[in-house]
């Protein structure tokens, strides 16, 4: 990747690293935590009993436009470097979940489908699932070709392989809404367990924060149920 991938692991209060807990990996993690109080939300859901105790790995975006644009190098680093490093730092149990918004959602989906079995659940918000027919206005983006190629490959794929549990949200005022609806249908056709919610908001951290409950909560509660 030509630079380090910064990772900060949040744990519930007074929880030693040796205690085995499920974990959620979060793209754009430091920004998500600063702008949407993500770990505070996790702490509240744990305290209320709506989610089991868990950890959150805040993945720094690094070279975001390159890493998150359906990059095979990033997917390999996520599987071969980041996940082992996290497991060396804390005891991880259960199904690993991965979340992201916008281009981070696209990278989460790409990482999961290109590394079968490494990730079991995805939470994708306002994903940048670009298609030439719907998103010509995004052609200025250097990663547009890589993203559209990946999306087209998924649409052409046959069902098969491990099934993912997937939660998706997208704001009704977003340019990404149309491509998210198409991706919902594609992932369902491929055999994944998909829940999709359209929310009355836009492409902002405030909108993504407000969509965490109930959408992320329901996904993780089902994924980590004992």
């Amino acid at each position: 990747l030509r630079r380090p991938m910064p990772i900060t692991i949040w744990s519930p209060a007074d929880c030693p690293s040796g205690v085995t807990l499920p974990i959620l990996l979060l793209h754009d993690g430091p920004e998500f935590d600063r702008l949407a109080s993500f770990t505070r939300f996790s702490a509240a859901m744990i305290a209320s009993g709506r989610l089991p105790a868990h950890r959150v790995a805040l993945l720094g975006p690094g070279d975001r436009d390159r890493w998150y644009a359906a990059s095979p190098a990033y997917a390999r680093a996520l599987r071969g470097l980041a996940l082992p490093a996290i497991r060396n730092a804390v005891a991880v149990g259960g199904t690993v979940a991965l979340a992201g918004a916008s281009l981070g959602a696209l990278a989460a989906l790409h990482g999961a489908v290109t590394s079968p079995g490494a990730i079991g659940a995805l939470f994708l918000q306002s994903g940048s699932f670009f298609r030439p027919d719907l998103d010509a206005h995004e052609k200025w983006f250097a990663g547009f070709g890589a993203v559209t190629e990946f999306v087209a490959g998924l649409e052409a794929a046959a069902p098969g392989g491990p099934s993912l549990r997937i939660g998706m949200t997208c704001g009704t005022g977003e340019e990404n809404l149309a491509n998210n609806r198409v991706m919902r249908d594609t992932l369902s056709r491929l055999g994944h367990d998909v829940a999709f919610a359209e929310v009355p908001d836009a492409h902002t951290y405030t909108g993504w924060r407000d969509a965490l409950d109930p959408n992320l909560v329901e996904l993780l509660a089902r994924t980590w149920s004992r």
Side-chain angles (χ1 to χ4, degrees), residues 11 36 56 63 75 78-79 120 127 140 142 164 172 188:
S11 297
V56 180
D63 188 354
L78 188 65
R79 177 188 69 245
W140 62 269
L164 295 163
T172 54
S188 296

Side-chain angles (χ1 to χ4, degrees), residues 128-156:
S128 299
F129 307 125
F130 298 151
R131 298 164 47 96
D133 59 334
L134 296 175
D135 305 289
H137 56 282
E138 300 286 359
K139 285 185 177 179
W140 62 269
F141 173 52
F144 185 78
V147 171
T148 55
E149 181 179 358
F150 166 65
V151 170
L154 275 184
E155 293 178 355

Side-chain angles (χ1 to χ4, degrees), residues 5-9 25-39 56-62 68 205:
M5 182 193 302
I7 303 172
T8 301
I9 300 177
L25 281 59
L26 181 62
H27 279 153
D28 294 302
E31 290 82 358
F32 229 117
D33 203 33
R34 185 176 71 254
L35 299 173
S37 303
F38 195 95
T39 57
V56 180
L58 305 173
L59 306 180
Y68 287 177
Y205 277 99

Side-chain angles (χ1 to χ4, degrees), residues 185-225:
D185 295 343
T186 296
L187 294 173
S188 296
R189 179 187 62 79
L190 291 173
H192 301 295
D193 178 3
V194 181
F196 179 75
E198 296 183 13
V199 297
D201 223 311
H203 199 84
T204 67
Y205 277 99
T206 300
W208 299 328
R209 179 201 65 197
D210 292 349
L212 298 177
D213 188 6
N215 302 292
L216 176 61
V217 176
E218 292 176 351
L219 174 74
L220 295 181
R222 290 193 300 139
T223 299
W224 294 335
S225 61

Side-chain angles (χ1 to χ4, degrees), residues 93-182:
T95 299
V96 175
L98 174 59
S102 191
L103 204 56
L106 182 282
L109 178 60
H110 177 265
V113 301
T114 56
S115 301
I119 304 294
L122 293 172
F123 188 60
L124 312 175
Q125 295 191 276
S126 307
S128 299
F129 307 125
F130 298 151
R131 298 164 47 96
D133 59 334
L134 296 175
D135 305 289
H137 56 282
E138 300 286 359
K139 285 185 177 179
W140 62 269
F141 173 52
F144 185 78
V147 171
T148 55
E149 181 179 358
F150 166 65
V151 170
L154 275 184
E155 293 178 355
S163 176
L164 295 163
R165 180 169 284 144
I166 301 174
M168 300 175 65
T169 74
C170 194
T172 54
E174 296 193 45
E175 291 180 342
N176 277 347
L177 182 57
N179 65 50
N180 272 250
R181 288 170 173 167
V182 176

